[in-house]
Amino acid sequence: MRRDLPVLVDYLLIPALNLALAFLVGAVVLALIGVSPSDALGTLLDGAFGSLDGLGYTLYYATTFIFTGLAVAIPYQAGLFNIGGEGQATLGGLGVTLVCQAMGGYPLWLTLPLAILVAALFGAGWAAVPAVLQVKRGSHIVITTIMFNFLAAAFMTYLLIDMLRAPGDPSPETGAFPASTALPYAHEWAQHLGLAMEESPLNLSFLVALAVAFLAWLFIRRTRWGYEIRATGHNPSAAAYAAIPVGRVTVLAVCLGGACAGLVGINEVMGVLHRLVLGFTAGAGIVGIAVALMGRNHPFGIVLAAILFGALYQGGAELAFDYPQVTRDIIVVMDGLVILFCGALENMLRAPVTRAWQRWRAVPA
Amino acid sequence: MAALARGAGMSLVDILSVLAATIRLATPLVLATLGGLFSERAGVVALGLEGMMLASAFASACIASISGSPWLALAAGMSIAMLLSLVHGFAAITQRGDQVVSGMALNILVAGLCPSLGLAWFHQGGQTPALGHDMRFMPITLPLADTLAGVPVLGPVWNNLIGGHNLIVYLAAVLLPASAWLLYRTSFGLRIRAVGENPHAVDAAGLSVAGLRYGALALSGLLVGLAGADLSIAEGAGFGRDMTAGRGYVALAALIFGKWRPVPAFGACLLFAFCDALQVRLQGVALPLVGVVPVQFVEALPYLLTVLLLAGFVGAARAPRAIGLPFVKTR
């Protein structure tokens, strides 16, 4: 392991500098669009953190991104790049829908665990096919998972138009779920506690996401299977030599990622939409890649990165609201820039920072 | 095929039109696949094909609508794709970054950038204005077209299957053998292949690994740029959101399916394109035994085929040995 730099510089300063570079290029893009970057930053920060409902939206987006971030990070521990979060989340939403439609009248404490289980199973199932194909047939998981995103989208369109659409409804969505399946909102809880909080889509799923992130950390760092996953990621041939069943571990890691992506359905479908809507994932699977890279594939890092991207999403929505020439595509631009600078160009600043650090240390205080 | 054609109620004209559509749809795939070929044979993962192609489609459409010249537009599209290819190279070669991550970053960045800039510049919901005939590469009528028009079979074949395509289609037809020749019959091609297999040997021979890889990537960008321009200023008339629709990934799949060789990869492109052409034709048509297949399943056919081909037939295909690995001079 490289230890030329203190942990704080390595894990905080360098990602922060890379992020700053991504924002700098983002500012250039904003200028090209004809928006003053400093005004935009003000709108963004104010929109994301300036009010309680803004903060609620930020954490609501963060909830989804924790799930999709983990969906990338867990397979990444095994050395696999899961681009399929979008499709896995779509299938998870389908699982949640089936549970919610069947569980009208049952109490939520029964419905929610079942919905979580089925969403995770559906997500994992959709991820399992590319994983098994990679292990058994050597087909590249990056391309297969991308194809599975397209397939999931086509499958969902078919289901929503031909099978699940509410009778008489012209739009491709199911009817509303029974009221008993809706997750409680944060502002409802705040009301019970006598606090006034403006309405936002933040719901119980946020706690589910935190719990899942914690469980993912426990699994990866504290269990034998987690160790096998990490060993496989470090060096597959050494892992195989150490009698680790690399193929099985690979499939397990990808399926766990798919399960996390499937849970997006809990937040979006069960928590907020209360029906299955075409395209409810809205690119969250792609954001998950940026979140995982930013969070260094560590569950706690991912929670922080997800909140950052949640703020970016919520602030970006405000930006799109304030400026007619800005759409939410600008957020996709930021995703791409963050993935580029924090992922692919991660080491660009490391050499100069290391040099600067050593020079600074060499100067007697 | 014959049974399928009968079931779908197809005549010779229908079959010809499906085949002509196959050629049109194969063109961007072939060009992107050739671009990917040079990149991957030089040892750099070409996951950014989708983004490079989309950026070129956008840049071409922008310049075409501003300048009115398809040639300037083509140059712009190719330049942008090459620039992105070199950015990918900077991450992969100079910075030794993760090439899969870099490719995805490009794809995502471009997917957001094009509609953002398009909306700000043209105020048409992220699209570029529709392009007039003089701003595009229009279908070319071959000589003797009138003479042969009345001749059965030969007439339609000459006019609609061989003729009647745009310039970029014919360029692709020339560039395929040219690329194969460059890769297998020139010393540059030999070095590209060597640098993807064993960069240390190339280095020991006194050649620059980085230089060769940058060269291959520049070439790759030019070819992918042609593919993008075909979509927006030749086949299409303007840029539309996500107009590449996964073709970059399909091209990559064709490359793998063709085992990183130009001619088999070309065959894979034709197969994908045929499938795509057929799906347009099959929508709403009742097939023997299965009946009417839902539109979405037919639309999903190319993606499904990609998965099946990658899983079923590639098997022992061996990628260039040094692919995805950053070159470090001393071990």
Side-chain angles (χ1 to χ4, degrees):
Chain A
M1 280 301 282
R2 163 182 48 226
R3 271 289 165 263
D4 307 336
L5 291 170
V7 178
L8 217 57
V9 175
D10 205 3
Y11 283 88
L12 274 177
L13 182 65
I14 289 182
L17 286 175
N18 282 327
L19 194 65
L21 264 182
F23 272 85
L24 206 65
V25 180
V28 173
V29 174
L30 279 174
L32 278 174
I33 292 176
V35 176
S36 146
S38 59
D39 290 358
L41 186 67
T43 309
L44 208 134
L45 286 178
D46 190 50
F49 299 112
S51 61
L52 263 184
D53 62 321
L55 188 65
Y57 270 94
T58 294
L59 294 181
Y60 149 68
Y61 289 124
T63 307
T64 287
F65 299 155
I66 292 174
F67 290 135
T68 54
L70 290 171
V72 178
I74 297 174
Y76 204 90
Q77 300 279 351
L80 295 152
F81 201 34
N82 174 25
I83 313 278
E86 198 73 12
Q88 292 145 16
T90 302
L91 266 285
L94 178 66
V96 170
T97 302
L98 297 180
V99 170
C100 286
Q101 283 181 337
M103 295 293 284
Y106 288 94
L108 191 63
W109 61 262
L110 201 65
T111 312
L112 180 60
L114 190 66
I116 290 177
L117 186 72
V118 173
L121 278 177
F122 272 50
W126 199 249
V129 186
V132 170
L133 288 180
Q134 153 107 18
V135 172
K136 296 272 180 210
R137 312 288 322 181
S139 43
H140 202 303
I141 198 156
V142 171
I143 300 177
T144 350
T145 49
I146 290 170
M147 292 301 139
F148 265 64
N149 288 342
F150 287 116
L151 291 176
F155 180 50
M156 190 53 97
T157 312
Y158 165 71
L159 281 183
L160 280 175
I161 289 177
D162 290 353
M163 309 285 285
L164 295 171
R165 181 162 55 170
D169 189 343
S171 48
E173 55 183 49
T174 63
F177 299 154
S180 65
T181 62
L183 295 178
Y185 284 112
H187 56 84
E188 291 170 357
W189 278 7
Q191 217 166 26
H192 283 303
L193 298 171
L195 298 166
M197 184 181 164
E198 284 171 86
E199 278 189 30
S200 79
L202 182 63
N203 62 74
L204 184 63
S205 310
F206 182 61
L207 299 182
V208 176
L210 292 182
V212 168
F214 180 69
L215 287 176
W217 175 80
L218 268 185
F219 181 81
I220 292 288
R221 309 299 296 193
R222 290 286 182 273
T223 67
R224 202 184 111 193
W225 282 359
Y227 170 76
E228 289 182 346
I229 287 176
R230 283 183 294 139
T232 303
H234 266 289
N235 188 339
S237 27
Y241 192 69
I244 290 174
V246 171
R248 211 189 314 155
V249 166
T250 300
V251 175
L252 173 72
V254 177
C255 286
L256 280 176
C260 289
L263 295 179
V264 167
I266 299 292
N267 186 36
E268 304 287 349
V269 177
M270 196 174 177
V272 178
L273 295 166
H274 305 136
R275 57 164 61 77
L276 187 62
V277 176
L278 196 61
F280 74 90
T281 50
I286 299 296
V287 185
I289 302 170
V291 167
L293 287 170
M294 192 65 233
R296 296 256 173 142
N297 296 304
H298 189 291
F300 297 146
I302 282 168
V303 171
L304 293 180
I307 292 173
L308 177 83
F309 272 87
L312 210 58
Y313 250 64
Q314 164 54 13
E318 292 289 318
L319 211 60
F321 189 73
D322 281 9
Y323 296 88
Q325 71 270 48
V326 175
T327 60
R328 309 192 71 171
D329 289 314
I330 196 72
I331 299 301
V332 181
V333 175
M334 282 313 300
D335 290 343
L337 289 173
V338 169
I339 296 172
L340 185 65
F341 284 101
C342 298
L345 295 174
E346 187 199 14
N347 292 322
M348 188 167 57
L349 294 174
R350 194 174 296 278
V353 167
T354 309
R355 267 199 306 277
W357 175 260
Q358 280 160 354
R359 202 173 311 133
W360 187 68
R361 289 301 303 248
V363 177
Chain B
M1 180 62 214
L4 197 68
R6 267 199 307 281
M10 286 172 109
S11 65
L12 176 70
V13 176
D14 289 334
I15 292 172
L16 275 182
S17 84
V18 167
L19 291 182
T22 302
I23 292 177
R24 279 200 302 277
L25 290 165
T27 298
L29 281 183
V30 169
L31 289 167
T33 303
L34 289 177
L37 180 72
F38 281 104
S39 170
E40 298 224 324
R41 286 309 283 259
V44 180
V45 178
L47 204 67
L49 290 181
E50 179 86 2
M52 285 155 62
M53 209 191 316
L54 193 65
S56 161
F58 178 68
S60 315
C62 286
I63 297 300
S65 77
I66 293 168
S67 74
S69 158
W71 295 101
L72 269 182
L74 185 63
M78 290 170 78
S79 313
I80 281 290
M82 188 170 82
L83 190 75
L84 286 178
S85 191
L86 293 178
V87 169
H88 182 55
F90 177 69
I93 302 164
T94 308
Q95 294 298 330
R96 295 174 196 150
D98 189 316
Q99 300 175 8
V100 173
V101 172
S102 168
M104 277 316 287
L106 285 188
N107 294 344
I108 294 167
L109 178 62
V110 171
L113 210 49
C114 294
S116 292
L117 295 177
L119 179 74
W121 293 345
F122 299 104
H123 310 287
Q124 293 187 7
Q127 299 185 334
T128 61
L131 300 172
H133 286 190
D134 54 335
M135 304 175 183
R136 297 166 52 201
F137 293 110
M138 296 303 290
I140 295 169
T141 310
L142 292 185
L144 294 179
D146 290 336
T147 326
L148 291 174
V151 183
V153 184
L154 188 62
V157 166
W158 182 254
N159 285 344
N160 302 325
L161 189 62
I162 300 174
H165 296 292
N166 68 65
L167 180 78
I168 298 181
V169 175
Y170 298 110
L171 256 179
V174 175
L175 284 171
L176 175 73
S179 299
W181 175 79
L182 187 61
L183 199 58
Y184 289 105
R185 292 280 181 272
T186 66
S187 57
F188 175 70
L190 176 69
R191 287 165 187 177
I192 293 282
R193 286 181 290 136
V195 91
E197 294 290 336
N198 191 345
H200 292 279
V202 174
D203 185 55
L207 296 162
S208 162
V209 171
L212 280 168
R213 286 189 170 166
Y214 272 114
L217 281 175
L219 200 57
S220 163
L222 293 176
L223 287 163
V224 180
L226 266 175
D230 180 64
L231 293 176
S232 68
I233 62 164
E235 209 44 64
F239 175 84
R241 209 193 153 82
D242 297 326
M243 77 182 306
T244 44
R247 282 187 185 83
Y249 303 116
V250 173
L252 205 54
L255 187 61
I256 299 172
F257 181 49
K259 304 191 178 184
W260 291 269
R261 288 174 303 172
V263 175
F266 170 65
C269 290
L270 280 184
L271 187 62
F272 284 127
F274 177 70
C275 199
D276 212 5
L278 208 58
Q279 64 101 345
V280 178
R281 178 63 55 165
L282 282 185
Q283 293 194 0
V285 175
L287 291 179
L289 300 181
V290 270
V292 176
V293 181
V295 183
Q296 291 81 23
F297 280 95
V298 183
E299 280 172 358
L301 215 58
Y303 307 123
L304 199 63
L305 191 70
T306 306
V307 173
L308 290 179
L309 287 186
L310 282 182
F313 296 90
V314 176
R318 196 181 59 79
R321 202 180 294 273
I323 199 159
L325 302 174
F327 174 67
V328 184
K329 208 172 168 89
T330 47
R331 290 222 209 215

